[in-house]
């Protein structure tokens, strides 16, 4: 365990690992967010009279020795995620301020359905720490919970069809790991994490290589061990891609009828398993219709780029 992890409450790193979240990356995200809020380091904006590194309001109105309790509360119903981030944010603020004795009792688990007024966590410690942590904590957890809530709508719509909803790379810069985790908590499936782990042959690659088959072969020759997915826009392109060796097709912007035909002819072109994804302009209203064409996945960029936050709050509790 690293020195900084030893300052976190017991078990936090293990819970992040279990969730598929890298503790070092989580800490980096949290510290960047706090630096932005407190004006630390490169986040400093030159304003006359500013006091970088300080919460000028809380430090002026609340003594450093004042202890208190706060609840993380749902203001509306939805699916929560990001609960393992709560103790991380508190620990990092405590470390920055030098105020010890902060704790988080997390009452709900990621993926839980909550309703308005549910208490998700109880925070205890110096009130200055609780208030400095408030916005960073909520910015992260409201964002991830909003994505999980939106994803759950898609997962429910696809239930029983055999198709799954996939996310994309249309994520907030710096937050991809957390946003894709939120998709998983909502019942969705992660596609590729970046440009490095899966090759995705799209229109521009086909143009550059001269054909679907040419682009597929080029990737196979350069990176033989990397999985290759090929975007197609017609049934004929689907067959061409399969005959070139592709075993994962992205059927882009097809009507349900054209998609069903593409699925049929692509799978008839080989005895091997072909995974097929519908992508492009899909909405939850038509999700079930597209799933019934026989595809394995529906790819939805809106899971991460257009999900509204889930409204959560931190309420200081009076004695």
């Amino acid at each position: 365990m690293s020195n900084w992890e030893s300052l976190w409450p017991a078990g936090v790193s293990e819970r992040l690992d279990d969730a598929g979240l890298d503790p070092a990356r989580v800490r980096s995200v949290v510290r960047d967010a706090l630096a932005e809020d407190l004006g630390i380091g490169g986040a400093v904006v030159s304003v006359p009279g500013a006091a970088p590194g300080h919460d000028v309001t809380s430090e002026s109105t609340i003594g450093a020795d004042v202890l208190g309790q706060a609840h993380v509360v749902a203001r509306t119903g939805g699916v929560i995620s990001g609960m393992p981030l709560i103790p991380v944010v508190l620990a990092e603020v405590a470390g920055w301020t030098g105020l010890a004795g902060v704790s988080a009792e997390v009452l709900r688990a990621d993926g839980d359905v909550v309703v308005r007024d549910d208490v998700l966590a109880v925070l205890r410690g110096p009130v200055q720490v609780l208030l400095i942590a408030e916005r960073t904590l909520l910015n992260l957890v409201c964002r991830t919970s909003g994505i999980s809530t939106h994803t759950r709508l898609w997962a429910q719509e696809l239930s029983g069809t055999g198709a799954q909803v996939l996310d994309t790379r249309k994520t907030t810069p710096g937050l991809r790991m957390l946003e894709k985790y939120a998709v998983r908590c909502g019942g969705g499936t992660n596609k590729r994490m970046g440009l490095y782990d899966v090759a995705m042959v799209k229109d521009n690659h086909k143009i550059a290589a001269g054909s679907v088959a040419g682009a597929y072969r080029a990737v196979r020759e350069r990176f033989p061990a990397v999985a290759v997915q090929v975007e197609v826009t017609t049934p004929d392109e689907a067959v061409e891609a399969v005959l070139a060796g592709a075993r994962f097709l992205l059927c882009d912007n097809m009507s349900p009828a054209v998609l069903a035909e593409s699925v049929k002819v692509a799978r008839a072109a080989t005895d091997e398993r072909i995974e097929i994804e519908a992508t492009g302009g899909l909405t939850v209203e038509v999700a079930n219709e597209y799933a019934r064409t026989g595809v394995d996945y529906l790819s939805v960029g809106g899971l991460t780029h257009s999900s509204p936050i889930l409204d959560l709050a931190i309420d200081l509790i009076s004695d």
Side-chain angles (χ1 to χ4, degrees):
M1 179 178 289
S2 63
N3 289 336
W4 53 264
E5 283 179 287
S6 67
L7 301 176
W8 288 4
V12 170
S13 290
E14 290 76 10
R15 285 192 288 275
L16 292 171
D17 281 329
D18 289 345
L21 298 172
D22 174 42
R25 181 67 189 133
V26 168
R27 184 182 190 240
S28 177
V29 169
V30 168
R31 286 175 67 85
D32 283 349
L34 288 170
E36 186 175 59
D37 216 17
L38 289 165
I40 301 170
V44 172
V45 176
S46 180
V47 176
H54 295 276
D55 175 351
V56 295
T57 312
S58 297
E59 291 179 38
S60 299
T61 58
I62 304 163
D65 60 344
V66 176
L67 303 180
Q69 177 176 301
H71 291 172
V72 181
V73 180
R75 289 284 187 258
T76 189
V79 179
I80 58 168
S81 63
M83 295 295 101
L85 304 179
I86 292 175
V88 175
V89 176
L90 292 176
E92 290 300 324
V93 173
W96 171 253
T97 61
L99 300 176
V102 66
S103 68
E105 181 185 3
V106 178
L107 304 177
R108 303 299 296 266
D110 286 353
D112 280 358
V113 175
V114 300
V115 299
R116 180 181 172 85
D117 296 328
D118 276 355
V119 177
L120 313 183
V122 179
L123 317 180
R124 300 180 178 90
V127 174
Q128 281 191 18
V129 172
L130 302 183
L131 296 184
I132 292 171
E134 177 180 14
R135 181 44 50 197
T136 291
L137 190 159
L138 291 176
N139 281 348
L140 293 172
V141 178
C142 289
R143 175 68 180 147
T144 55
S145 296
I147 291 170
S148 297
T149 299
H150 187 189
T151 302
R152 185 64 57 86
L153 294 177
W154 281 85
Q156 290 173 338
E157 192 65 29
L158 296 179
S159 178
T161 67
Q164 302 175 62
V165 63
L166 286 175
D167 56 20
T168 72
R169 288 168 45 241
K170 296 175 182 178
T171 54
T172 307
L175 296 183
R176 181 171 297 175
M177 175 187 65
L178 294 179
E179 292 181 345
K180 282 181 170 281
Y181 169 69
V183 167
R184 299 197 299 274
C185 290
T189 302
N190 295 153
K191 200 175 181 181
R192 59 176 181 166
M193 290 302 295
L195 296 171
Y196 60 93
D197 57 329
V198 174
M200 188 180 295
V201 176
K202 304 189 79 172
D203 284 345
N204 287 336
H205 305 108
K206 289 183 281 187
I207 292 170
S211 65
V212 171
Y216 179 84
R217 286 194 300 269
V219 175
R220 267 285 153 263
E221 290 170 4
R222 181 69 177 83
F223 296 101
V226 173
V228 183
Q229 302 176 1
V230 178
E231 180 184 87
V232 298
T233 56
T234 67
D236 286 345
E237 271 196 334
V239 172
E240 180 187 357
V242 170
L243 294 178
R247 295 298 178 261
F248 193 116
L249 304 182
L250 291 76
C251 293
D252 186 40
N253 283 302
M254 293 183 182
S255 68
V258 173
L259 180 60
E261 178 64 16
S262 297
V263 170
K264 177 182 176 181
V265 296
R267 290 191 169 139
T270 179
D271 292 333
E272 297 182 35
R273 171 163 166 71
I274 305 293
E275 292 184 278
I276 301 177
E277 165 194 327
T279 185
L282 300 175
T283 66
V284 72
E285 290 77 17
V286 299
N288 195 274
E289 180 182 7
Y290 273 82
R292 290 199 305 270
T293 63
V295 296
D296 302 286
Y297 309 102
L298 276 69
S299 178
V300 182
L303 297 182
T304 50
H305 73 60
S306 295
S307 292
I309 66 162
L310 185 68
D311 191 9
L312 309 175
I314 293 180
D315 292 338
L316 203 61
I317 306 302
S318 301
D319 292 332

